[in-house]
Amino acid sequence: QLRAGRKARLESNVSSSPSMCDADVIRLGVQCRCTEQSNVPVAQANAQFARGWREKAERNCQKVRDSRHVDVVWYGDSITESWEGTSMGKVTARTKGIEKQWEELFYNDNAVNSNGTAGNSSKLKFLALGISADQTQHLIYRLNGCELRDAPLLQPKVIVVAIGTNNIGVGCTAEEAIKGLARTLATIRRLRPEAKVVLLGLLPRAPKGIGASATSYKNYYTPRLLQMNGALRNMAAQDSEKVRYMDGWNLFAITKHLQKPPAIGGKELFISLNRMPDLLHPNAEGMRIWGTRVRTFVQNWVLNDAVLGTPRVSMPRSQGAKKRLSIVSRRRREKENNTTTFTSHTHTHTHNTTTSRRLARSWKGLRGNRRVVLGEMKGLRGNR
């Protein structure tokens, strides 16, 4: 009966409408596996991942039960699970060295890292809860279970979210994936209304067969990922007191200038193979750079009460206009008074007096010339 009920729930979550599948992806001959609504919570049902997913989900629940006084919880998919050095709960070559980066960035308070730099001086306790292959609907399912709703002792100051790339990876439209992002945020805000939320922008990725290009006309992932990042940015702007957006795109997508430009303007975007060698998951170096940005972002928001990315406060237009008018008026008065001040090493003097004397001599000369002209005119009249 339990299996039958679970099967019925899964079938109810499968949409018969093709609108969830991206038409452009289908035209490219890529199989669309977007069969679950992104905003309806459901456990992982893919036969390839289901067993490992259940085991990893239970481990996450145990981590939550064992954790006390957590300040920051980081939810996500395989990229987030990489912080634990595993993929679906198993150690892999892809995650080599990443767990050490986590310890140096987020765990070792007051420690000195292997490179001689200070450890996590923020005094914030971090917890990573990621499961490989997760899409938004799977994370929502987890949040409504033991990882948040049924974890009354888990009261973090900040919740970090990195989810959504796998929705695009299975062929869903960006619009469908954005529904899941919105539902994820709404679930977190409902369950932990006092917590601050950091929405991490999705990182670049590339399908097989095109190399490392991240340029839109070659890589069909790029415009969809950027559209989702724009939606995340807008969600944060609607509740800026509690929600912030942090972008990491430029850490992995680099611009190259080409001699024979196939791209507009002779530029093309490429994914950095030094930081993301499989064109999807950051390696240890990529995670270190990305994690450093996230840690700094959280520290500045929570500890220093300074939000990164806040637009610079500009002078109101009326005040700026008054200031400009004041400057123009002052310069005009100086010009009219013909006053120019010069400063030397020993003294300061003005040219007002000198200019006045020159004008007086010129005027006397003009009066003298006037007398001469009048005399000549009299002589001319006499000759006439």
Side-chain angles (χ1 to χ4, degrees):
Q1 291 178 348
L2 291 175
R3 289 181 179 177
R6 183 171 181 272
K7 183 178 180 181
R9 287 195 301 273
L10 291 176
E11 290 176 350
S12 66
N13 192 36
V14 175
S15 173
S16 60
S17 172
S19 61
M20 294 194 307
C21 289
D22 196 310
D24 291 338
V25 175
I26 296 174
R27 279 196 293 269
L28 291 171
V30 180
Q31 181 185 5
C32 179
R33 294 174 283 113
C34 184
T35 58
E36 298 173 349
Q37 298 179 45
S38 64
N39 59 348
V40 178
V42 64
Q44 178 66 262
N46 188 311
Q48 181 182 356
F49 308 120
R51 182 177 178 179
W53 187 91
R54 289 194 298 269
E55 294 175 355
K56 183 61 172 69
E58 179 54 38
R59 291 179 187 175
N60 282 2
C61 293
Q62 189 60 47
K63 285 178 65 175
V64 171
R65 288 191 289 267
D66 295 341
S67 299
R68 294 291 184 273
H69 310 296
V70 174
D71 298 304
V72 183
V73 182
W74 189 330
Y75 293 100
D77 46 34
S78 56
I79 299 178
T80 303
E81 188 185 347
S82 296
W83 286 122
E84 303 176 64
T86 63
S87 176
M88 204 68 76
K90 300 184 182 300
V91 178
T92 63
R94 174 181 64 77
T95 60
K96 182 180 179 180
I98 297 179
E99 186 177 13
K100 182 180 179 181
Q101 297 295 339
W102 172 268
E103 293 176 353
E104 294 187 348
L105 284 170
F106 302 109
Y107 182 75
N108 288 342
D109 293 352
N110 301 322
V112 176
N113 299 328
S114 58
N115 59 4
T117 60
N120 178 17
S121 59
S122 69
K123 306 297 183 184
L124 296 176
K125 186 175 181 180
F126 285 74
L127 176 66
L129 297 173
I131 302 183
S132 296
D134 258 11
Q135 302 174 42
T136 55
Q137 63 270 23
H138 307 135
L139 177 56
I140 298 169
Y141 179 90
R142 290 161 48 199
L143 294 171
N144 281 295
C146 62
E147 293 190 31
L148 192 61
R149 186 192 66 185
D150 301 334
L153 298 180
L154 188 63
Q155 299 292 334
K157 296 182 178 71
V158 180
I159 294 176
V160 179
V161 183
I163 197 71
T165 188
N166 289 326
N167 294 76
I168 296 296
V170 298
C172 297
T173 63
E175 291 77 12
E176 176 63 26
I178 290 169
K179 293 178 183 178
L181 296 175
R183 181 68 180 273
T184 301
L185 177 59
T187 301
I188 293 173
R189 298 289 293 120
R190 172 174 57 85
L191 296 175
R192 295 294 185 272
E194 297 303 319
K196 301 177 186 295
V197 183
V198 177
L199 301 175
L200 297 184
L202 303 181
L203 305 179
R205 60 181 295 177
K208 296 179 180 179
I210 70 164
S213 176
T215 305
S216 295
Y217 78 95
K218 284 187 176 182
N219 187 335
Y220 62 82
Y221 285 142
T222 296
R224 291 152 181 81
L225 292 170
L226 293 177
Q227 182 179 346
M228 293 172 67
N229 285 350
L232 288 170
R233 194 187 302 271
N234 292 335
M235 293 177 199
Q238 293 173 9
D239 188 8
S240 59
E241 183 179 350
K242 287 292 185 180
V243 185
R244 292 287 184 269
Y245 170 81
M246 198 212 81
D247 194 78
W249 186 274
N250 65 339
L251 298 177
F252 300 93
I254 57 178
T255 302
K256 291 185 178 180
H257 297 265
L258 307 176
Q259 293 181 350
K260 296 180 179 180
I264 298 174
K267 299 178 182 179
E268 190 167 352
L269 278 178
F270 288 92
I271 298 175
S272 172
L273 295 176
N274 294 328
R275 299 177 181 179
M276 190 179 281
D278 69 350
L279 306 178
L280 175 58
H281 302 92
N283 60 9
E285 175 63 12
M287 294 294 278
R288 181 188 67 81
I289 296 172
W290 191 44
T292 300
R293 178 173 289 188
V294 173
R295 187 186 69 173
T296 303
F297 191 98
V298 173
Q299 285 178 346
N300 280 275
W301 191 5
V302 177
L303 299 179
N304 301 330
D305 197 27
V307 182
L308 298 184
T310 302
R312 184 180 61 180
V313 178
S314 59
M315 179 182 293
R317 188 176 184 87
S318 59
Q319 294 184 19
K322 291 180 180 178
K323 185 174 181 179
R324 289 191 295 272
L325 180 61
S326 175
I327 294 173
V328 171
S329 300
R330 177 168 53 82
R331 290 177 177 174
R332 183 176 298 167
R333 288 194 301 270
E334 290 177 355
K335 186 176 181 180
E336 290 175 352
N337 294 334
N338 198 19
T339 302
T340 307
T341 304
F342 297 90
T343 303
S344 65
H345 293 288
T346 57
H347 65 280
T348 301
H349 61 276
T350 64
H351 275 221
N352 289 29
T353 306
T354 304
T355 303
S356 300
R357 290 173 180 171
R358 289 176 179 173
L359 289 173
R361 286 196 296 269
S362 299
W363 177 243
K364 289 181 179 178
L366 288 174
R367 285 188 293 182
N369 293 337
R370 179 173 176 271
R371 294 191 186 97
V372 172
V373 170
L374 291 174
E376 292 177 351
M377 289 178 66
K378 290 180 180 179
L380 287 173
R381 285 199 297 269
N383 292 336
R384 178 173 176 271

